[in-house]
Amino acid sequence: MMHCSVPAISATAVVLAGGSSSRMGRDKARLRIGDKTLLEHITERMTGLFEEILVAAPAEGEHDIPGIRWVRDIYTAVGPLGGIHGGLTAAGTSRIFVSACDMPFFEAELAAFLLNGTDAYDAVVPCCQGFTEPLFAVYAKSALKKMEEYLRSGRRSVNRFLSRVNTLYIPEHEVRRRADPGRVFFNMNTPGDYLHLLSEIPQRDVQAAPLRSIPSSSPRSSAIPRKSPMAE
């Protein structure tokens, strides 16, 4: 699927697919949206826009998607930062755009904006309602050495790592000019979130997974604790 309104980007897309999906009760990446899995839905929206698309996970998964390369986490059991590090290490470009696999409403225009003219920074992270969104963000190879040192020290917080490198935070009003924050930063953690996602997708594209195999909903929260850049 080519995004005609957005020129091709000289960067690598990295989709993080290593979460435990404990609150969903099953692998979120394999939930169905029409005739595709959630992971296929996201990577299809990125196809033709980036130089390459990687899926980062602790181990190679069962999702066989043509043109998509799997990369294994080098540092395991450290949360999203392990996937970011694995994708950044494997990328053939100097910068990567990162998205969690449970954020289904990818917006090409916002991704292109985060990557445009920001070469001088180690990371570019959008903000919304006073919080950061580090799992819909840009990371550069220039951050790799400090990221490795940070992970080797036993630390794993993405937001605290961002405070240690040259990070550009994009204010909410700039995000709103290119995307609906409530939609693009929506992350799917619970069965209730999955039902909400299905209600947002055109009916012709919807084929729900059997909900009897998913436990009842629990209170929703972000995949990682979000934090205002001013709160460090």
Side-chain angles (χ1 to χ4, degrees), residues 126-131 170-177 179 181 185:
C127 299
C128 180
Q129 297 182 351
F131 294 98
I170 303 299
E172 183 175 345
H173 72 269
E174 290 288 358
V175 173
R176 289 187 178 278
R177 291 177 60 187
F185 299 140

Side-chain angles (χ1 to χ4, degrees), residues 107 175-176 178-186:
E107 286 288 348
V175 173
R176 289 187 178 278
R178 296 158 180 90
D180 174 1
R183 183 177 173 87
V184 72
F185 299 140
F186 168 78

